[in-house]
């Protein structure tokens, strides 16, 4: 299984990453279950949500939070802030950004589904501010596989919602650099740019058909699983 992850997070005892397409689409619950089984993570400990391209983040920091989560059926949100041990969270992406953000001591870890709509609603910045409100530790980040500036062509209406530093013009086409947009938000929230890791262009979901699903390329609902599990 190919897992795209950040060693800093793994070294903190946080099993995490974005799983490549070799297992199939994790939109299929049986496939998601198989992925967790092969990772040795109990499926019953994994929490899910209904992604809606907005900016809500669910806190799972205590047994009370977990009980509140379990007492409701539908969780419309696009991210997690987790500190409860032996608990895991997941999101699905296929071009959108799986953003991993954590305090350097590993106590708090956030995983957010950042599509362009979530990014213009400042979901990355909000995740950083939520962790900073809980701890003085420095923050670290990993921007997982997603559609990169080579392929993320947009029209003027979408481009106009992004900072100009993130816009690239090529042959009368407009592209947005989502890595850059996220880095700008995280640094404005006080994250040191040196602490933010991004993948190479080989981690563009749209270019790299062998390893990833891409909504832009394929137009299907197939999706990659991203997860965080705290030991
Ligand atoms: Zn690309």
């Amino acid at each position: 299984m190919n897992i795209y992850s950040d060693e800093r997070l793994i070294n903190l005892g946080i099993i995490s990453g974005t799983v490549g397409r070799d297992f199939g689409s994790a939109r299929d619950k049986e496939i998601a279950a198989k992925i967790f089984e092969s990772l040795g993570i109990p499926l019953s400990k994994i929490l899910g949500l209904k992604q809606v391209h907005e900016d809500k983040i669910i806190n799972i920091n205590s047994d009370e939070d977990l009980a509140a989560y379990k007492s409701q059926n539908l969780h419309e949100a696009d991210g997690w802030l987790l500190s409860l041990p032996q608990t895991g969270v997941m999101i699905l992406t296929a071009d959108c950004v799986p953003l991993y953000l954590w305090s350097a001591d590993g106590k708090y870890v956030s995983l957010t589904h950042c599509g362009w709509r979530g990014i213009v609603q400042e979901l990355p910045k909000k995740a950083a501010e939520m962790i900073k409100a809980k701890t003085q530790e420095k923050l670290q980040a990993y921007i997982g596989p997603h559609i990169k500036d080579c392929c993320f062509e947009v029209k003027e209406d979408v481009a106009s919602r992004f900072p100009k530093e993130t816009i690239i013009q090529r042959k009368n086409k407009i592209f947005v650099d989502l890595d850059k947009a996220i880095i700008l938000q995280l640094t404005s929230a006080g994250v040191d740019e040196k602490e933010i890791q991004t993948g190479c262009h080989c981690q563009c979901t749209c270019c790299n058909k062998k390893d990833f699903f891409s909504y832009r390329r394929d137009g299907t609902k197939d999706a990659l699983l991203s997860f965080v599990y705290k030991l």
Side-chain angles (χ1 to χ4, degrees), residues 146-152 201 203-208:
H146 64 278
I147 189 166
K148 293 201 173 249
D149 63 296
C150 39
C151 297
F152 189 46
H201 275 87
Q203 290 188 17
C204 171
T205 47
C206 190
C207 293
N208 184 344

Side-chain angles (χ1 to χ4, degrees), residues 6 29 35 41 46 50 72 74 76 84 102 122 145 176 203 216 227:
D6 189 306
K29 288 199 167 74
I35 291 171
I41 296 173
I46 300 292
K50 182 178 191 294
Q72 288 176 40
L74 187 67
E76 291 194 345
L84 194 66
W102 62 95
E122 300 199 308
V176 174
Q203 290 188 17
R216 173 71 64 115
F227 70 98

